[in-house]
Amino acid sequence: MSASETLKRPPVVLIANDQEWSARSLESILSPNGYAVLRAYTGRQALELARTAHPDIIVLDERMPDLSGSTVCRLLRDDPRVRSHVPIVITTAEPADREQRLGALRAGAWDHFGEPLDGEMFLLKIDAWVRAKRQVDVAQEESLVDSLTGLYNMRGLALRARELGADAVRKHAPIACIAVSPEDDSAAYSDKVADEMVEHVVLHLGEIIRREGRLSDAIGRLGPTEFAIVAPATEADGARSIMERLQRAVESEPLVLPGESRTLRVRTGFYAVPDLSASALDPVELMVRAAAALRQNARAGELAARN
């Protein structure tokens, strides 16, 4: 979704509350003012919808039948699939005292509302928080940095590749690009669990690649689970050394998942030129060719596994 589309679509509010009258009261304030409302009736439903529907704001009742609103808030603040700038507020069906408000703030909520609810003040605060959240969304979409990993996004990686390429052309120097992705391990999980684990894998792999990279390298995401390293002053042998070092580092550091840890394995591919000025290649083409090599290696691995 483009930045302009982000600002044009109706903001989405997730209301998690098993008390129908209370939820309808909140909905009667928000719906007439342009909000699309999602409903959850338990804390676990709220967790699932927050991860998959990406609401603009989350309103949690403190007393849900399975998990308290504060517990859900803490879990969401620790979840990499829910952006840290999403406003979360907690409500109660009785007057709120100071300790309740402090508890909500400690859990990561932006505010706590008790009864009697001042609907006008509630709406004004929600509007302000959602405007701020969506402006951050737009800034992230237009930035050069991937919001999940903190590495370059595709736009930033392409810009940095051209800068490194221009320097390589001036110096008649080599340059390489290495592409990396986790091996497909989806058979080890149900489809639902596999989807939930993707971001854990991306964060784990991204951190290792960042740590193993050189200061001169440009590192970023090529796709949902693919990374690229643009390595200046690096020929084919150097690119192979980088790949081998990465594979050793990844396999030596277990991926910690909820309830288990496992060894993550990666596939790699690269493309290198000994003198970029003599190759007539756009530096971004290096990334395209490295990604093609990665996918070719992945297909070769799948064929070998079948035979």
Side-chain angles (χ1 to χ4, degrees):
M1 184 178 292
S2 69
S4 61
E5 289 171 330
T6 295
L7 294 176
K8 285 179 182 177
R9 68 168 174 78
V12 176
V13 56
L14 170 60
I15 297 175
N17 194 319
D18 68 316
Q19 299 297 318
E20 189 66 24
W21 66 268
S22 180
R24 286 189 179 277
S25 175
L26 295 171
E27 190 169 352
S28 71
I29 297 170
L30 296 168
S31 288
N33 287 281
Y35 286 84
V37 176
L38 293 175
R39 291 282 304 276
Y41 298 89
T42 67
R44 289 184 176 86
Q45 286 179 357
L47 290 170
E48 182 67 22
L49 280 171
R51 292 162 178 161
T52 57
H54 306 296
D56 293 298
I57 190 163
I58 301 167
V59 182
L60 303 170
D61 183 56
E62 179 60 24
R63 292 180 178 165
M64 287 181 283
D66 54 348
L67 300 172
S68 70
S70 295
T71 298
V72 174
C73 186
R74 288 190 191 93
L75 291 171
L76 291 175
R77 289 305 185 212
D78 291 337
D79 195 321
R81 290 163 290 183
V82 179
R83 292 180 172 182
S84 61
H85 64 280
V86 174
I88 301 175
V89 300
I90 295 175
T91 61
T92 53
E94 65 274 338
D97 60 29
R98 182 173 183 272
E99 283 306 309
Q100 287 176 311
R101 288 192 287 270
L102 288 174
L105 295 173
R106 290 189 187 105
W110 286 28
D111 208 342
H112 183 285
F113 295 92
E115 292 292 336
L117 179 67
D118 185 325
E120 184 177 6
M121 182 176 291
F122 176 77
L123 179 62
L124 287 171
K125 287 188 174 184
I126 295 293
D127 282 345
W129 292 332
V130 168
R131 281 196 302 272
K133 181 264 182 187
R134 298 180 88 181
Q135 289 295 336
V136 173
D137 287 344
V138 169
Q140 289 184 345
E141 288 167 11
E142 294 176 343
S143 77
L144 305 179
V145 177
D146 174 58
S147 60
L148 178 62
T149 64
L151 301 171
Y152 284 117
N153 59 22
M154 188 62 187
R155 184 166 173 255
L157 195 57
L159 178 64
R160 187 71 182 117
R162 289 195 170 99
E163 291 172 348
L164 293 173
D167 188 59
V169 167
R170 285 194 300 272
K171 296 177 178 177
H172 296 272
I175 190 168
C177 182
I178 299 97
V180 185
S181 72
E183 286 188 0
D184 182 10
D185 199 24
S186 58
Y189 303 106
S190 68
D191 289 343
K192 181 179 179 181
V193 174
D195 289 342
E196 291 178 352
M197 292 304 107
V198 166
E199 291 194 6
H200 290 283
V201 171
V202 167
L203 284 167
H204 178 76
L205 183 53
E207 179 56 33
I208 293 173
I209 294 172
R210 181 208 304 272
R211 193 171 63 235
E212 294 296 320
R214 305 171 303 181
L215 290 176
S216 58
D217 296 338
I219 303 170
R221 286 178 78 182
L222 279 179
T225 60
E226 294 177 347
F227 294 85
I229 304 166
V230 181
T234 303
E235 298 194 37
D237 287 345
R240 292 188 187 96
S241 295
I242 291 172
M243 292 193 302
E244 291 167 2
R245 187 174 73 248
L246 271 175
Q247 287 171 331
R248 288 194 300 269
V250 171
E251 292 180 12
S252 68
E253 186 169 330
L255 168 64
V256 179
L257 301 172
E260 68 168 314
S261 65
R262 62 190 302 116
T263 299
L264 181 67
R265 291 181 173 82
V266 294
R267 291 196 174 98
T268 55
F270 80 95
Y271 194 85
V273 292
D275 180 352
L276 188 60
S277 65
S279 70
L281 274 179
D282 183 289
V284 175
E285 183 66 20
L286 286 173
M287 293 159 44
V288 174
R289 296 192 183 194
L294 171 67
R295 290 163 190 152
Q296 184 177 354
N297 291 343
R299 286 193 295 271
E302 290 166 3
L303 288 172
R306 293 194 198 107
N307 297 327

